[in-house]
Amino acid sequence: MCKGVEPWGWHGVRPINERVVKDGCLLVVSNKKPEELLKFIGKKPYNYRIAILDGDASLAGLWVNKDDLTHERILGGIAAIDPAVISIEAVEAYLMDKTKQKHRAEAARAAYESLRQEAKPPRVKTVTPNDGIVWTHERPVLPKWFEMQEGTVVPAVKRGFEMGPKGQSRNAMFKRGTTKTQRPAVRFDLCTKCTLCWVECPDECFDPTTDGFYDIEYQYCVGCGKCAEVCPVKECIVMVDELQFEDDHSPWEHWKKDSQEYITWVEEKKGKDRVSYPFVTGKGITVTQGVVMPEGKIVPVRKTEEVEV
Ligand code: SF4
Ligand code: SF4
C-alpha cells in the first residue's frame, strides 16, 4: 500500500503517510529497504520516521488474508517506536489474556526487539522533506455541506465499450490498483486467446483488443492472482512483485511496439521465483521456480487444487 491507499467511500488515492505528523512514525511491514519504499511515498514538508517490520504482506486487496501474526507484530512494533502509546509488557499481557497463546505474545516481543533503537541493523530511519515523491494522484474535492443535494445522490457510471486498452467503462472514482502487492505479468506470445482471464477477473481489468488478446488496466487490478490461477498456459500469466513497476502502462501496447524488447523486459520483471498465496487457508506463501519459455512455445499447465477443511 506504499503506492497509495484508497479509503472506501471514495476519497481518492491518498499517500500512505498522509496522517503522519511531524516527528511521527510510519510503520510498514515489508521486505524492502526504506529507499525502495520511498520511491513511491509522497513527500512531507517535515521530518518523520519510517520503521520497517521485516515480513511479507499479510493482506492485499482484501483477497489475501493470512493469520501470520502480523497483527501481534504490529502491536509489538508500536510499543518499540512509541512506548508512550503502549508498553511491550502491556501488549504481551493483552495478547495472553485475549488469546491464551504464548506464541502470539512472543511474536509481538520479537517485533519489538527488531525495531528498538539499539537493534542491529537499525530498522527505523529518519525521512526528510527531500525524501519521497511529488504525489501525482488527483486530490478529490468533496462537496461543501451547502452544495449537497437533498437525500443521497450517487451519479451512475457511464456505460460504454470500445475495443483496445482502457476500452471498458469503469468507475473512475474507484481505482484500487495501488493496494496490490503483486501484479499479473503477461506473455502475449504464449496467449491462446482462451478468454478465461477476461471472464474470471473479479475487477474487470482485462480489455479485449482488436487482435483477440486481453490487455490489462493495472489501475483497477487488486492483485488477487485469479487470472494467473486460471490461465491454462505455462508462464503466460505470472504474478510479480508490484514494487518493481513504476507506472501502469498498457502491457499490450508495449508488446505491440516491440515484442522482443517486451519479452526481455517482462522476463526480467518476472525473475525466477513464482510466488503464490494459498487462498482462504491463510497458510503463508508458496514459492516455486519458474522457467523462461521460448517465444511462442505453448505448454498447457495442469492445475492442482488442495482444499483444506
Ligand atoms: S484477476 Fe488478475 S487482473 Fe484481475 S484483479 Fe486479479 S490479479 Fe488483477
Ligand atoms: S487466460 Fe491466459 S491464455 Fe487465456 S486469454 Fe488470458 S492470457 Fe490468454
Side-chain angles (χ1 to χ4, degrees):
M1 292 187 176
C2 286
K3 283 193 169 184
V5 183
E6 201 232 32
W8 281 14
W10 195 75
H11 192 48
V13 178
R14 311 300 313 139
I16 194 170
N17 59 353
E18 184 169 37
R19 300 288 170 199
V20 178
V21 297
K22 185 170 181 294
D23 299 324
C25 189
L26 176 68
L27 176 58
V28 182
V29 177
S30 177
N31 293 315
K32 308 277 181 197
K33 297 193 179 85
E35 310 78 73
E36 293 173 288
L37 299 181
L38 285 164
K39 283 197 298 188
F40 303 102
I41 297 176
K43 283 177 187 283
K44 297 292 269 186
Y46 42 73
N47 283 3
Y48 67 98
R49 292 167 295 154
I50 184 167
I52 300 184
L53 253 186
D54 215 9
D56 197 56
S58 173
L59 176 78
L62 299 183
W63 290 92
V64 179
N65 187 14
K66 307 188 292 289
D67 181 16
D68 58 3
L69 304 173
T70 294
H71 290 63
E72 292 80 357
R73 298 180 70 233
I74 291 287
L75 288 175
I78 293 171
I81 57 182
D82 194 346
V85 175
I86 190 167
S87 70
I88 185 61
E89 290 76 21
V91 169
E92 289 171 317
Y94 164 76
L95 290 172
M96 285 305 295
D97 182 52
K98 188 170 172 69
T99 70
K100 315 279 186 274
Q101 294 176 328
K102 199 166 160 226
H103 72 282
R104 296 190 184 275
E106 287 171 350
R109 170 66 73 166
Y112 168 82
E113 297 295 346
S114 76
L115 289 186
R116 291 179 69 198
Q117 275 186 348
E118 310 80 68
K120 298 256 182 306
R123 304 289 293 172
V124 183
K125 174 190 158 69
T126 299
V127 183
T128 72
N130 294 327
D131 300 319
I133 57 165
V134 175
W135 198 243
T136 51
H137 292 278
E138 179 193 353
R139 185 173 191 126
V141 180
L142 300 181
K144 309 279 184 307
W145 67 268
F146 52 83
E147 294 169 342
M148 290 181 183
Q149 300 177 44
E150 215 169 296
T152 303
V153 178
V154 181
V157 177
K158 194 174 172 212
R159 302 306 295 178
F161 174 80
E162 286 170 21
M163 295 295 275
K166 306 190 194 321
Q168 314 223 24
S169 63
R170 301 182 175 97
N171 190 339
M173 310 290 265
F174 196 60
K175 296 173 184 167
R176 295 187 295 154
T178 55
T179 61
K180 61 182 170 291
T181 53
Q182 293 183 300
R183 74 164 57 180
V186 186
R187 278 276 303 268
F188 293 100
D189 59 296
L190 305 179
C191 173
T192 60
K193 308 179 180 177
C194 74
T195 78
L196 283 175
C197 53
W198 175 63
V199 170
E200 294 284 343
C201 172
D203 283 81
E204 299 182 339
C205 298
F206 287 88
D207 288 315
T209 60
T210 45
D211 50 0
F213 292 102
Y214 295 90
D215 190 30
I216 303 182
E217 170 53 286
Y218 288 121
Q219 290 189 84
Y220 291 83
C221 165
V222 296
C224 69
K226 185 76 178 167
C227 51
E229 280 286 309
V230 298
C231 181
V233 182
K234 188 171 180 176
E235 292 285 335
C236 181
I237 301 186
V238 166
M239 299 304 290
V240 176
D241 177 12
E242 171 63 13
L243 292 189
Q244 289 205 60
F245 301 89
E246 300 196 355
D247 63 38
D248 291 326
H249 75 255
S250 151
W252 177 78
E253 283 179 338
H254 187 166
W255 179 63
K256 293 301 274 187
K257 198 168 158 203
D258 186 338
S259 61
Q260 289 304 316
E261 191 273 330
Y262 175 80
I263 292 171
T264 306
W265 174 83
V266 83
E267 286 299 336
E268 199 178 298
K269 296 288 184 196
K270 283 162 70 176
K272 282 279 176 286
D273 289 346
R274 303 288 176 261
V275 178
S276 62
Y277 296 88
F279 298 95
V280 186
T281 60
K283 295 281 175 63
I285 61 174
T286 306
V287 182
T288 53
Q289 291 297 293
V291 290
V292 178
M293 299 303 285
E295 186 174 2
K297 184 165 175 60
I298 293 168
V299 175
V301 275
R302 181 181 289 271
K303 304 281 182 187
T304 56
E305 193 170 325
E306 287 178 21
V307 179
E308 295 189 23
V309 290

